[in-house]
Amino acid sequence: MHNAITIDALKVLDAIERKGSFAGAASELFRVPSAISYTVQKLEDDLGIDIFDRTGHRARLTPAGRYLLDEGRALLDATDALAHATKQVAQGWETRIKIAVNSLLPMEALYPAIREFQALGVPVEIQLVEEVFTGAWDALQCRRVDLVFGADAMSRPAGQFMTRILGQIPFRYAVAPDHPLTRHQGPINEEVVSAYPAVVAADSARHLQPGTTGIFSRQRTITVSNIAQKISAQKAGLGVGWLPEPLIRESLASGELVELNVEAVRQPAVIHLARHQDNQNGELRCQGNALKWFWDKLSEPHQFSRWIDPHTQ
């Protein structure tokens, strides 16, 4: 099927409108004026409309012509972006990289690295996806993401993955300051804690077995979607539970949350940077420059010390 609207015709219309005349467009596009006139006339004939009002000394767009050019410029921008992106792919850059962020960590922990990446000027689309607990490994195993920031050691599935330890996240058992448990004297045992609902962040795994931790037997639960909502619910006095210490440090200092002395112990979560390993030598097959850049950048030590403690054996 013949398409009357071509990229070349749109470039001609754009040049005429910007230069104010057919002659100006011909000069910019290195064509003779008759070639410009022919392109416009053919487009008008094919569409059955007048694109320019030629009654005055200056060619003016008709309403239909204005609409065509406005929409056409979006296509011109898209084709320029496509050409540029194609060149970048040929040079080894992906068009998109997807990074899963464990809900134990704030999304803003990645912002400095993303800002630095943007300064490179490469047209790579970055997608950040929040995952909860085993969901981070699930997303990587199923290749919904290219890289995981904060994959925990406990829920790692079988498979060929490359990992680098980022550190560990300690937990505190905390509640709202007016919660009844704050009036309890001495270490609080499981039987006492179990009388109150636990706020639980739902594991986002789709295929791997979802994990559960920090819930006492016979304890009722209130399930939310992520760690931020869990913190909010516990601040509101709706329930109890373990919370990542770096994310509640300020709330503990301000008194919005109060740490309880519980008999139970929860070990810190050792978290990793993780990606697929697609061959025996530990190097990625068809590794993209963006993935390599983020892998190296996020592996640099001490940049996440605000949210992640050093890992000690």
Side-chain angles (χ1 to χ4, degrees), residues 149-189:
F149 178 63
D152 70 276
M154 294 296 294
S155 60
R156 175 173 177 163
Q160 296 296 312
F161 302 104
M162 291 187 68
T163 60
R164 288 181 179 173
I165 293 179
L166 294 171
Q168 62 183 15
I169 298 178
F171 292 85
R172 301 288 182 263
Y173 208 88
V175 296
D178 58 352
H179 194 281
L181 284 177
T182 61
R183 298 189 292 272
H184 196 279
Q185 299 297 317
I188 307 173
N189 61 33

Side-chain angles (χ1 to χ4, degrees), residues 70-207:
D70 288 346
E71 296 298 313
R73 279 175 170 161
L75 293 177
L76 292 176
D77 290 341
T79 56
D80 287 344
L82 176 60
H84 187 51
T86 301
K87 291 177 182 178
Q88 294 299 333
V89 170
Q91 295 169 4
W93 290 99
E94 307 94 310
T95 57
R96 179 182 66 186
I97 181 170
K98 296 184 71 173
I99 303 174
V101 181
N102 191 321
S103 188
L104 293 173
L105 295 164
M107 199 73 73
E108 57 263 32
L110 291 184
Y111 292 170
I114 293 173
R115 189 177 299 111
E116 188 172 335
F117 181 80
Q118 288 176 325
L120 300 178
V122 291
V124 177
E125 178 184 346
I126 300 171
Q127 291 188 8
L128 302 180
V129 181
E130 183 182 47
E131 297 288 348
V132 182
F133 303 132
T134 311
W137 280 113
D138 187 286
L140 184 64
Q141 186 181 60
C142 298
R143 297 186 183 269
R144 297 197 306 274
V145 299
D146 306 297
L147 183 66
V148 173
F149 178 63
D152 70 276
M154 294 296 294
S155 60
R156 175 173 177 163
Q160 296 296 312
F161 302 104
M162 291 187 68
T163 60
R164 288 181 179 173
I165 293 179
L166 294 171
Q168 62 183 15
I169 298 178
F171 292 85
R172 301 288 182 263
Y173 208 88
V175 296
D178 58 352
H179 194 281
L181 284 177
T182 61
R183 298 189 292 272
H184 196 279
Q185 299 297 317
I188 307 173
N189 61 33
E190 177 181 338
E191 183 178 356
V192 173
V193 173
S194 296
Y196 299 93
V199 182
V200 178
D203 196 305
S204 61
R206 303 180 188 178
H207 303 283

Side-chain angles (χ1 to χ4, degrees), residues 54-72:
R54 299 174 177 79
T55 58
H57 295 292
R58 178 187 173 105
R60 293 180 301 159
L61 288 166
T62 63
R66 169 55 61 189
Y67 175 81
L68 175 61
L69 179 56
D70 288 346
E71 296 298 313

Side-chain angles (χ1 to χ4, degrees), residues 217-284:
S217 61
R218 304 180 307 279
Q219 191 172 20
R220 292 169 293 147
T221 59
I222 299 172
T223 302
V224 295
S225 298
N226 54 38
I227 297 296
Q229 292 177 8
K230 174 175 163 62
I231 294 172
S232 178
Q234 290 182 217
K235 283 183 178 180
L238 301 183
V240 301
W242 295 100
L243 295 172
E245 188 273 336
L247 293 185
I248 63 168
R249 191 173 297 152
E250 294 181 1
S251 297
L252 289 173
S254 68
E256 286 184 284
L257 286 170
V258 176
E259 182 178 0
L260 298 181
N261 179 14
V262 295
E263 291 182 353
V265 176
R266 180 168 178 180
Q267 296 299 321
V270 179
I271 58 171
H272 299 74
L273 198 63
R275 72 182 192 191
H276 277 280
Q277 177 178 306
D278 285 340
N279 65 28
Q280 297 296 321
N281 298 323
E283 294 297 328
L284 282 174

